[in-house]
Amino acid sequence: MKLTVIALRWGGSGPRTTLVCGALAVDEAGRALLGPALSGFLHLPAETAGPGLLGVLGALASEVAAPRPGSGAALTRLAELVFIHALRASIARGVAGAGWLKGLGHSSIARALAAIHADPGAPWTVDALAGRAGMSRSAFAAEFRRHVGEPPLAHVTAWRMHHAARLLEEGRLSLKDIAARVGYGSDEAFSRVFKGWAGVPPGEYRRCPRPGPRGAAR
């Protein structure tokens, strides 16, 4: 995370404004996960940001203005909190972008998404996810697709592949262990689905990570 304070003098007699600019870097799997769901830019007026985000922004500005021991680590954590609070505020305002982020704005769909994201390797079915959402199977399937942009089980598969990509990049687990973590009984079945999603087999992805998806996972 890199932050910079920029001083602009434009004349006039208005109040002084401080701009804190920065960039939050994510890995390949993170970009593939967040990129399609985020809009090109997000504008949150102060009156809609909420006290949580405003408090974090105040702490961030304070750290930038007067660096102290540990400021680098503090700035990184504060920047991550800004991102989380900004997403929360955008979801509450209905401007969170598309895909699963937009689905979080629907309270019932959000419960199903939380279950999928917490345990992608579980043997999810549409009936089980509808139960988590507190909806009938048909109503849930229709609402999920309308808000998230894909059927429930397609999202389960995509989330499993995102999780698998992260595990492959970390390089600590075997292919068989990763397959089990994301709900596949054999590494052959997992490899077939992963290649359909990323465009390359898991082993090649591990050697040279790249954004997914490149194809439809089934």
mmCIF file of all heavy atoms in Angstrom, residues 84-122:
data_model
loop_
_atom_site.group_PDB
_atom_site.id
_atom_site.type_symbol
_atom_site.label_atom_id
_atom_site.label_comp_id
_atom_site.label_asym_id
_atom_site.label_seq_id
_atom_site.Cartn_x
_atom_site.Cartn_y
_atom_site.Cartn_z
ATOM 1 N N ILE A 84 -12.928 -1.849 2.909
ATOM 2 C CA ILE A 84 -14.056 -2.628 3.424
ATOM 3 C C ILE A 84 -15.249 -1.719 3.735
ATOM 4 O O ILE A 84 -16.390 -2.015 3.356
ATOM 5 C CB ILE A 84 -13.632 -3.412 4.678
ATOM 6 C CG1 ILE A 84 -12.633 -4.506 4.308
ATOM 7 C CG2 ILE A 84 -14.849 -4.022 5.384
ATOM 8 C CD1 ILE A 84 -11.965 -5.163 5.497
ATOM 9 N N HIS A 85 -14.987 -0.605 4.424
ATOM 10 C CA HIS A 85 -16.082 0.314 4.759
ATOM 11 C C HIS A 85 -16.691 0.931 3.510
ATOM 12 O O HIS A 85 -17.913 1.151 3.445
ATOM 13 C CB HIS A 85 -15.577 1.406 5.698
ATOM 14 C CG HIS A 85 -15.505 0.990 7.138
ATOM 15 N ND1 HIS A 85 -16.625 0.833 7.917
ATOM 16 C CD2 HIS A 85 -14.447 0.690 7.933
ATOM 17 C CE1 HIS A 85 -16.275 0.459 9.137
ATOM 18 N NE2 HIS A 85 -14.954 0.360 9.175
ATOM 19 N N ALA A 86 -15.859 1.231 2.511
ATOM 20 C CA ALA A 86 -16.384 1.804 1.265
ATOM 21 C C ALA A 86 -17.293 0.802 0.555
ATOM 22 O O ALA A 86 -18.355 1.175 0.033
ATOM 23 C CB ALA A 86 -15.237 2.219 0.354
ATOM 24 N N LEU A 87 -16.895 -0.466 0.546
ATOM 25 C CA LEU A 87 -17.747 -1.484 -0.058
ATOM 26 C C LEU A 87 -19.064 -1.619 0.709
ATOM 27 O O LEU A 87 -20.135 -1.725 0.106
ATOM 28 C CB LEU A 87 -17.028 -2.831 -0.077
ATOM 29 C CG LEU A 87 -15.933 -3.021 -1.124
ATOM 30 C CD1 LEU A 87 -15.362 -4.425 -1.034
ATOM 31 C CD2 LEU A 87 -16.467 -2.765 -2.524
ATOM 32 N N ARG A 88 -18.980 -1.609 2.036
ATOM 33 C CA ARG A 88 -20.213 -1.698 2.830
ATOM 34 C C ARG A 88 -21.156 -0.544 2.523
ATOM 35 O O ARG A 88 -22.362 -0.729 2.351
ATOM 36 C CB ARG A 88 -19.864 -1.690 4.317
ATOM 37 C CG ARG A 88 -19.272 -2.975 4.842
ATOM 38 C CD ARG A 88 -18.896 -2.817 6.307
ATOM 39 N NE ARG A 88 -18.441 -4.066 6.898
ATOM 40 C CZ ARG A 88 -17.952 -4.149 8.118
ATOM 41 N NH1 ARG A 88 -17.855 -3.066 8.879
ATOM 42 N NH2 ARG A 88 -17.559 -5.322 8.593
ATOM 43 N N ALA A 89 -20.583 0.658 2.475
ATOM 44 C CA ALA A 89 -21.412 1.833 2.214
ATOM 45 C C ALA A 89 -22.012 1.777 0.816
ATOM 46 O O ALA A 89 -23.178 2.133 0.611
ATOM 47 C CB ALA A 89 -20.579 3.112 2.386
ATOM 48 N N SER A 90 -21.225 1.310 -0.163
ATOM 49 C CA SER A 90 -21.732 1.237 -1.526
ATOM 50 C C SER A 90 -22.822 0.182 -1.656
ATOM 51 O O SER A 90 -23.796 0.360 -2.392
ATOM 52 C CB SER A 90 -20.586 0.944 -2.502
ATOM 53 O OG SER A 90 -20.049 -0.343 -2.270
ATOM 54 N N ILE A 91 -22.670 -0.941 -0.930
ATOM 55 C CA ILE A 91 -23.707 -1.978 -0.945
ATOM 56 C C ILE A 91 -24.998 -1.425 -0.341
ATOM 57 O O ILE A 91 -26.099 -1.640 -0.861
ATOM 58 C CB ILE A 91 -23.222 -3.219 -0.182
ATOM 59 C CG1 ILE A 91 -22.120 -3.932 -0.963
ATOM 60 C CG2 ILE A 91 -24.392 -4.183 0.085
ATOM 61 C CD1 ILE A 91 -21.379 -4.981 -0.169
ATOM 62 N N ALA A 92 -24.873 -0.694 0.768
ATOM 63 C CA ALA A 92 -26.056 -0.115 1.414
ATOM 64 C C ALA A 92 -26.767 0.874 0.501
ATOM 65 O O ALA A 92 -27.997 1.001 0.548
ATOM 66 C CB ALA A 92 -25.642 0.573 2.715
ATOM 67 N N ARG A 93 -26.001 1.568 -0.347
ATOM 68 C CA ARG A 93 -26.596 2.550 -1.265
ATOM 69 C C ARG A 93 -27.034 1.926 -2.583
ATOM 70 O O ARG A 93 -27.603 2.598 -3.430
ATOM 71 C CB ARG A 93 -25.590 3.670 -1.558
ATOM 72 C CG ARG A 93 -25.241 4.531 -0.362
ATOM 73 C CD ARG A 93 -24.228 5.589 -0.762
ATOM 74 N NE ARG A 93 -24.780 6.468 -1.787
ATOM 75 C CZ ARG A 93 -24.065 7.004 -2.781
ATOM 76 N NH1 ARG A 93 -22.786 6.720 -2.897
ATOM 77 N NH2 ARG A 93 -24.632 7.804 -3.655
ATOM 78 N N GLY A 94 -26.734 0.634 -2.766
ATOM 79 C CA GLY A 94 -27.118 -0.025 -4.007
ATOM 80 C C GLY A 94 -26.252 0.341 -5.187
ATOM 81 O O GLY A 94 -26.698 0.259 -6.332
ATOM 82 N N VAL A 95 -25.000 0.747 -4.939
ATOM 83 C CA VAL A 95 -24.106 1.134 -6.034
ATOM 84 C C VAL A 95 -22.824 0.305 -5.974
ATOM 85 O O VAL A 95 -21.753 0.779 -6.333
ATOM 86 C CB VAL A 95 -23.767 2.640 -5.980
ATOM 87 C CG1 VAL A 95 -24.992 3.471 -6.261
ATOM 88 C CG2 VAL A 95 -23.157 3.031 -4.620
ATOM 89 N N ALA A 96 -22.940 -0.947 -5.559
ATOM 90 C CA ALA A 96 -21.751 -1.779 -5.316
ATOM 91 C C ALA A 96 -21.174 -2.394 -6.570
ATOM 92 O O ALA A 96 -20.220 -3.146 -6.492
ATOM 93 C CB ALA A 96 -22.104 -2.885 -4.329
ATOM 94 N N GLY A 97 -21.721 -2.096 -7.737
ATOM 95 C CA GLY A 97 -21.182 -2.690 -8.951
ATOM 96 C C GLY A 97 -22.064 -3.834 -9.409
ATOM 97 O O GLY A 97 -23.279 -3.689 -9.505
ATOM 98 N N ALA A 98 -21.457 -4.979 -9.707
ATOM 99 C CA ALA A 98 -22.212 -6.093 -10.271
ATOM 100 C C ALA A 98 -21.826 -7.386 -9.569
ATOM 101 O O ALA A 98 -20.974 -7.421 -8.696
ATOM 102 C CB ALA A 98 -21.932 -6.177 -11.773
ATOM 103 N N GLY A 99 -22.490 -8.479 -9.995
ATOM 104 C CA GLY A 99 -22.121 -9.792 -9.497
ATOM 105 C C GLY A 99 -22.400 -9.984 -8.024
ATOM 106 O O GLY A 99 -23.371 -9.459 -7.472
ATOM 107 N N TRP A 100 -21.514 -10.734 -7.358
ATOM 108 C CA TRP A 100 -21.764 -11.122 -5.974
ATOM 109 C C TRP A 100 -21.795 -9.927 -5.037
ATOM 110 O O TRP A 100 -22.494 -9.959 -4.015
ATOM 111 C CB TRP A 100 -20.735 -12.142 -5.515
ATOM 112 C CG TRP A 100 -19.313 -11.682 -5.552
ATOM 113 C CD1 TRP A 100 -18.456 -11.717 -6.607
ATOM 114 C CD2 TRP A 100 -18.583 -11.100 -4.471
ATOM 115 N NE1 TRP A 100 -17.236 -11.192 -6.247
ATOM 116 C CE2 TRP A 100 -17.287 -10.813 -4.945
ATOM 117 C CE3 TRP A 100 -18.903 -10.810 -3.139
ATOM 118 C CZ2 TRP A 100 -16.310 -10.238 -4.146
ATOM 119 C CZ3 TRP A 100 -17.926 -10.237 -2.336
ATOM 120 C CH2 TRP A 100 -16.646 -9.957 -2.833
ATOM 121 N N LEU A 101 -21.064 -8.847 -5.359
ATOM 122 C CA LEU A 101 -21.140 -7.659 -4.507
ATOM 123 C C LEU A 101 -22.547 -7.068 -4.526
ATOM 124 O O LEU A 101 -23.068 -6.650 -3.502
ATOM 125 C CB LEU A 101 -20.130 -6.606 -4.965
ATOM 126 C CG LEU A 101 -18.679 -6.819 -4.528
ATOM 127 C CD1 LEU A 101 -17.796 -5.732 -5.115
ATOM 128 C CD2 LEU A 101 -18.572 -6.839 -3.008
ATOM 129 N N LYS A 102 -23.146 -7.039 -5.691
ATOM 130 C CA LYS A 102 -24.519 -6.535 -5.787
ATOM 131 C C LYS A 102 -25.469 -7.450 -5.017
ATOM 132 O O LYS A 102 -26.400 -7.001 -4.356
ATOM 133 C CB LYS A 102 -24.946 -6.445 -7.251
ATOM 134 C CG LYS A 102 -26.330 -5.853 -7.453
ATOM 135 C CD LYS A 102 -26.664 -5.741 -8.928
ATOM 136 C CE LYS A 102 -28.060 -5.156 -9.128
ATOM 137 N NZ LYS A 102 -28.409 -5.076 -10.574
ATOM 138 N N GLY A 103 -25.195 -8.757 -5.068
ATOM 139 C CA GLY A 103 -26.046 -9.703 -4.350
ATOM 140 C C GLY A 103 -26.031 -9.500 -2.852
ATOM 141 O O GLY A 103 -27.004 -9.826 -2.163
ATOM 142 N N LEU A 104 -24.945 -8.940 -2.310
ATOM 143 C CA LEU A 104 -24.869 -8.701 -0.872
ATOM 144 C C LEU A 104 -25.872 -7.650 -0.411
ATOM 145 O O LEU A 104 -26.155 -7.543 0.784
ATOM 146 C CB LEU A 104 -23.451 -8.260 -0.487
ATOM 147 C CG LEU A 104 -22.356 -9.318 -0.653
ATOM 148 C CD1 LEU A 104 -21.004 -8.730 -0.293
ATOM 149 C CD2 LEU A 104 -22.646 -10.550 0.196
ATOM 150 N N GLY A 105 -26.384 -6.858 -1.358
ATOM 151 C CA GLY A 105 -27.385 -5.860 -0.998
ATOM 152 C C GLY A 105 -28.768 -6.447 -0.761
ATOM 153 O O GLY A 105 -29.659 -5.754 -0.285
ATOM 154 N N HIS A 106 -28.971 -7.711 -1.090
ATOM 155 C CA HIS A 106 -30.247 -8.410 -0.870
ATOM 156 C C HIS A 106 -30.060 -9.280 0.365
ATOM 157 O O HIS A 106 -29.253 -10.212 0.363
ATOM 158 C CB HIS A 106 -30.566 -9.253 -2.102
ATOM 159 C CG HIS A 106 -31.909 -9.914 -2.075
ATOM 160 N ND1 HIS A 106 -32.254 -10.895 -1.165
ATOM 161 C CD2 HIS A 106 -33.006 -9.750 -2.868
ATOM 162 C CE1 HIS A 106 -33.475 -11.303 -1.399
ATOM 163 N NE2 HIS A 106 -33.965 -10.622 -2.431
ATOM 164 N N SER A 107 -30.788 -9.022 1.423
ATOM 165 C CA SER A 107 -30.524 -9.669 2.712
ATOM 166 C C SER A 107 -30.592 -11.189 2.633
ATOM 167 O O SER A 107 -29.755 -11.891 3.227
ATOM 168 C CB SER A 107 -31.492 -9.147 3.777
ATOM 169 O OG SER A 107 -32.840 -9.395 3.400
ATOM 170 N N SER A 108 -31.564 -11.738 1.909
ATOM 171 C CA SER A 108 -31.696 -13.195 1.832
ATOM 172 C C SER A 108 -30.597 -13.799 0.972
ATOM 173 O O SER A 108 -29.976 -14.810 1.341
ATOM 174 C CB SER A 108 -33.075 -13.569 1.263
ATOM 175 O OG SER A 108 -34.105 -13.129 2.123
ATOM 176 N N ILE A 109 -30.320 -13.196 -0.165
ATOM 177 C CA ILE A 109 -29.250 -13.690 -1.036
ATOM 178 C C ILE A 109 -27.910 -13.554 -0.340
ATOM 179 O O ILE A 109 -27.025 -14.414 -0.486
ATOM 180 C CB ILE A 109 -29.248 -12.918 -2.376
ATOM 181 C CG1 ILE A 109 -30.582 -13.101 -3.104
ATOM 182 C CG2 ILE A 109 -28.092 -13.380 -3.256
ATOM 183 C CD1 ILE A 109 -30.947 -14.530 -3.406
ATOM 184 N N ALA A 110 -27.741 -12.512 0.446
ATOM 185 C CA ALA A 110 -26.480 -12.306 1.167
ATOM 186 C C ALA A 110 -26.203 -13.455 2.125
ATOM 187 O O ALA A 110 -25.046 -13.850 2.306
ATOM 188 C CB ALA A 110 -26.525 -10.986 1.925
ATOM 189 N N ARG A 111 -27.236 -14.016 2.747
ATOM 190 C CA ARG A 111 -27.017 -15.145 3.659
ATOM 191 C C ARG A 111 -26.512 -16.367 2.901
ATOM 192 O O ARG A 111 -25.629 -17.097 3.381
ATOM 193 C CB ARG A 111 -28.310 -15.472 4.412
ATOM 194 C CG ARG A 111 -28.699 -14.429 5.451
ATOM 195 C CD ARG A 111 -29.750 -14.972 6.407
ATOM 196 N NE ARG A 111 -31.013 -15.217 5.758
ATOM 197 C CZ ARG A 111 -31.980 -14.305 5.613
ATOM 198 N NH1 ARG A 111 -31.799 -13.073 6.070
ATOM 199 N NH2 ARG A 111 -33.115 -14.616 5.017
ATOM 200 N N ALA A 112 -27.062 -16.606 1.721
ATOM 201 C CA ALA A 112 -26.593 -17.727 0.908
ATOM 202 C C ALA A 112 -25.165 -17.491 0.432
ATOM 203 O O ALA A 112 -24.335 -18.402 0.445
ATOM 204 C CB ALA A 112 -27.523 -17.934 -0.287
ATOM 205 N N LEU A 113 -24.866 -16.269 0.011
ATOM 206 C CA LEU A 113 -23.506 -15.953 -0.425
ATOM 207 C C LEU A 113 -22.509 -16.129 0.714
ATOM 208 O O LEU A 113 -21.404 -16.658 0.509
ATOM 209 C CB LEU A 113 -23.447 -14.517 -0.949
ATOM 210 C CG LEU A 113 -24.088 -14.269 -2.318
ATOM 211 C CD1 LEU A 113 -24.186 -12.772 -2.593
ATOM 212 C CD2 LEU A 113 -23.307 -14.966 -3.426
ATOM 213 N N ALA A 114 -22.884 -15.694 1.908
ATOM 214 C CA ALA A 114 -21.992 -15.837 3.059
ATOM 215 C C ALA A 114 -21.691 -17.306 3.323
ATOM 216 O O ALA A 114 -20.551 -17.671 3.656
ATOM 217 C CB ALA A 114 -22.618 -15.184 4.286
ATOM 218 N N ALA A 115 -22.686 -18.160 3.171
ATOM 219 C CA ALA A 115 -22.486 -19.594 3.399
ATOM 220 C C ALA A 115 -21.537 -20.176 2.352
ATOM 221 O O ALA A 115 -20.637 -20.948 2.682
ATOM 222 C CB ALA A 115 -23.832 -20.314 3.358
ATOM 223 N N ILE A 116 -21.723 -19.803 1.092
ATOM 224 C CA ILE A 116 -20.854 -20.298 0.019
ATOM 225 C C ILE A 116 -19.423 -19.841 0.249
ATOM 226 O O ILE A 116 -18.469 -20.617 0.159
ATOM 227 C CB ILE A 116 -21.343 -19.800 -1.355
ATOM 228 C CG1 ILE A 116 -22.714 -20.387 -1.686
ATOM 229 C CG2 ILE A 116 -20.330 -20.155 -2.458
ATOM 230 C CD1 ILE A 116 -23.381 -19.739 -2.895
ATOM 231 N N HIS A 117 -19.264 -18.571 0.553
ATOM 232 C CA HIS A 117 -17.926 -18.000 0.686
ATOM 233 C C HIS A 117 -17.196 -18.511 1.924
ATOM 234 O O HIS A 117 -15.974 -18.641 1.923
ATOM 235 C CB HIS A 117 -18.017 -16.474 0.722
ATOM 236 C CG HIS A 117 -18.581 -15.888 -0.533
ATOM 237 N ND1 HIS A 117 -18.850 -14.548 -0.680
ATOM 238 C CD2 HIS A 117 -18.941 -16.468 -1.708
ATOM 239 C CE1 HIS A 117 -19.348 -14.331 -1.884
ATOM 240 N NE2 HIS A 117 -19.416 -15.481 -2.519
ATOM 241 N N ALA A 118 -17.950 -18.839 2.966
ATOM 242 C CA ALA A 118 -17.332 -19.359 4.188
ATOM 243 C C ALA A 118 -16.873 -20.805 4.024
ATOM 244 O O ALA A 118 -15.883 -21.221 4.631
ATOM 245 C CB ALA A 118 -18.306 -19.246 5.362
ATOM 246 N N ASP A 119 -17.579 -21.587 3.217
ATOM 247 C CA ASP A 119 -17.257 -23.008 3.064
ATOM 248 C C ASP A 119 -17.495 -23.442 1.616
ATOM 249 O O ASP A 119 -18.464 -24.143 1.310
ATOM 250 C CB ASP A 119 -18.109 -23.840 4.019
ATOM 251 C CG ASP A 119 -17.667 -25.294 4.080
ATOM 252 O OD1 ASP A 119 -16.642 -25.627 3.448
ATOM 253 O OD2 ASP A 119 -18.350 -26.096 4.748
ATOM 254 N N PRO A 120 -16.622 -23.027 0.688
ATOM 255 C CA PRO A 120 -16.851 -23.347 -0.725
ATOM 256 C C PRO A 120 -16.815 -24.841 -1.025
ATOM 257 O O PRO A 120 -17.388 -25.283 -2.023
ATOM 258 C CB PRO A 120 -15.712 -22.610 -1.446
ATOM 259 C CG PRO A 120 -14.661 -22.405 -0.416
ATOM 260 C CD PRO A 120 -15.392 -22.240 0.880
ATOM 261 N N GLY A 121 -16.162 -25.624 -0.180
ATOM 262 C CA GLY A 121 -16.059 -27.049 -0.437
ATOM 263 C C GLY A 121 -17.243 -27.866 0.038
ATOM 264 O O GLY A 121 -17.285 -29.079 -0.199
ATOM 265 N N ALA A 122 -18.212 -27.247 0.682
ATOM 266 C CA ALA A 122 -19.388 -27.985 1.159
ATOM 267 C C ALA A 122 -20.207 -28.493 -0.030
ATOM 268 O O ALA A 122 -20.180 -27.909 -1.111
ATOM 269 C CB ALA A 122 -20.253 -27.082 2.042
#
